[in-house]
Amino acid sequence: MTESFAVHLQPAAEAGQPDHHAHACAHAAVATGGPGQTHKPLTLAAVLRHVLLLDRSAMVFSAVRDLAPAEEPALRRVNRILDTVLETSLQLDTARQQLQNAISTQRELEIVLEMLAARVEAGQANQMDHRKVTARLASSREAVTQAVGEWNRVGRRFTQLTRLLPAQLETGLETLGPVLTDEMDRLALACLSTHADVQFSLSQRAQAWAARRTDPACEGGCGPEDFGAWLSNLESTRAQAAADFSSARESYLQAVLNFDREHACLVRARSLRRTADTGFRLNTRSAPDFADAVLEESRRNHAVLMCQSQRQATGYHLYALAGLLPRQFGLIDPAAGY
């Protein structure tokens, strides 16, 4: 787990050159799935390979430099960068799906309003219901505006980190399966090795000792008498790593619970919406009631997408702490032994 880790990175797949023209237009193109999307969609693994290629020119580090210590083992640094990009990519895909959900809801309410207008004209409904549905449609349009703003915000962050357009990220990202107990224990052990990097620490101390022998006036050197302090620091680092992983595990388990709860709410909302739909089309249920059911389903779907993204991000964060994200996405040579 030293700086030689970088040489084991597998060659990047063809990702194309980023095109910075009409960045804002790309948002609308990918959100609607229209013909304006000219780039071949990239998988998460392809995006991460591309990001690792930016290491040499420090394009990514300029975006995450405040998150990194001055000196850091290569494996830990790579996992930190990939973790940041992964979370942003998940947020981008979520923002895209939420925008699509908001647009779909708006269109459905527009259809409801058209049907209601015809019924009002035929004397089968009243103007009060029409005004109520119009107000709900205005709320839906506001939700679309907010979703566009979120898509643009996350899209800019994605481009800052990857130098890719949001349109270049594929839709419907592959999901991470549940992290089971045995896998969680394996990650916890790996986390101790990744953060308490004995080889990297010994290398640093050897360099400092060599510098001190060459120039006795050089500060920061260490001798055999410092071994006890080094060992104490190593144990402190391992304890901190264990605490960090424990906190990350709690976050992941909470994210799983949040997703399950919101998904159950979405299932109920969909059932109520189908019932309201049938009643509205048979003219036994008021249009405002149906509009409310549509909006509630949309809100629940929005929440589920958010919780799903958080569940994925916290799951990948466990692998990042364990130093295993590159292996998880096949970004290192399997023979490297990391």
Side-chain angles (χ1 to χ4, degrees), residues 56-316:
R56 294 179 182 177
S57 59
M59 297 175 91
V60 173
F61 295 132
S62 64
V64 295
R65 60 182 179 273
D66 294 335
L67 304 178
E71 296 181 357
E72 186 180 17
L75 180 60
R76 196 190 311 171
R77 183 192 65 192
V78 166
N79 276 271
R80 173 180 50 76
I81 293 170
L82 296 185
D83 192 25
T84 301
V85 174
L86 266 171
E87 183 176 8
T88 304
S89 298
L90 291 169
Q91 290 173 353
L92 180 64
D93 190 51
T94 297
R96 171 167 42 203
Q97 293 183 68
Q98 289 176 333
L99 176 55
Q100 292 171 340
N101 173 62
I103 292 174
S104 176
T105 301
Q106 176 185 318
R107 289 173 177 170
E108 185 161 13
L109 290 183
E110 288 172 346
I111 293 174
V112 171
L113 192 62
E114 291 176 359
M115 295 177 63
L116 182 58
R119 290 180 181 180
V120 169
E121 186 176 351
Q124 299 176 351
N126 56 61
Q127 285 290 345
M128 180 61 70
D129 283 353
H130 190 275
R131 286 194 291 270
K132 289 179 179 179
V133 174
T134 300
R136 287 158 176 74
L137 178 58
S139 174
S140 176
R141 286 170 175 164
E142 177 62 25
V144 171
T145 300
Q146 294 176 358
V148 170
E150 179 65 8
W151 163 258
N152 287 331
R153 184 189 68 80
V154 180
R156 287 191 295 269
R157 173 67 170 165
F158 176 80
T159 298
Q160 180 188 17
L161 289 170
T162 66
R163 298 301 186 265
L164 296 171
L165 286 174
Q168 291 177 267
L169 179 67
E170 71 171 3
T171 59
L173 300 178
E174 182 179 354
T175 58
L176 175 69
V179 183
L180 303 179
T181 302
D182 290 346
E183 178 72 352
M184 192 79 76
D185 292 341
R186 184 179 77 91
L187 295 178
L189 290 175
C191 178
L192 298 180
S193 299
T194 300
H195 285 258
D197 196 328
V198 179
Q199 184 177 351
F200 178 75
S201 181
L202 285 176
S203 175
Q204 282 187 312
R205 302 186 75 80
Q207 292 174 7
W209 177 244
R212 186 173 184 179
R213 293 186 60 184
T214 303
D215 183 5
C218 178
E219 297 183 358
C222 58
E225 68 276 7
D226 299 317
F227 179 76
W230 170 80
L231 185 60
S232 176
N233 182 67
L234 178 64
E235 290 303 318
S236 176
T237 301
R238 289 171 61 88
Q240 183 61 53
D244 291 344
F245 189 85
S246 178
S247 176
R249 176 168 49 196
E250 290 300 318
S251 296
Y252 170 73
L253 295 177
Q254 185 61 54
V256 171
L257 289 176
N258 291 342
F259 173 80
D260 291 343
R261 182 178 61 250
E262 290 297 339
H263 186 266
C265 291
L266 174 61
V267 170
R268 289 194 295 271
R270 283 178 173 168
S271 177
L272 293 174
R273 186 251 184 211
R274 286 193 294 268
T275 301
D277 188 2
T278 301
F280 172 68
R281 295 185 185 282
L282 295 176
N283 205 18
T284 60
R285 189 81 174 263
S286 72
D289 286 347
F290 177 48
D292 286 339
V294 170
L295 289 173
E296 177 63 14
E297 181 191 26
S298 179
R299 283 192 292 267
R300 292 300 183 182
N301 191 34
H302 186 97
V304 164
L305 291 171
M306 179 64 70
C307 289
Q308 178 176 272
S309 176
Q310 292 172 346
R311 184 188 63 174
Q312 292 290 97
T314 53
Y316 282 126

Side-chain angles (χ1 to χ4, degrees), residues 10-18 42-57 59-60 82 85 158-159 161-165 168 331:
Q10 292 182 345
E14 293 183 0
Q17 295 298 321
L42 301 178
T43 64
L44 265 179
V47 169
L48 297 181
R49 287 193 188 97
H50 172 79
V51 167
L52 290 180
L53 289 179
L54 300 180
D55 186 359
R56 294 179 182 177
S57 59
M59 297 175 91
V60 173
L82 296 185
V85 174
F158 176 80
T159 298
L161 289 170
T162 66
R163 298 301 186 265
L164 296 171
L165 286 174
Q168 291 177 267
L331 303 178

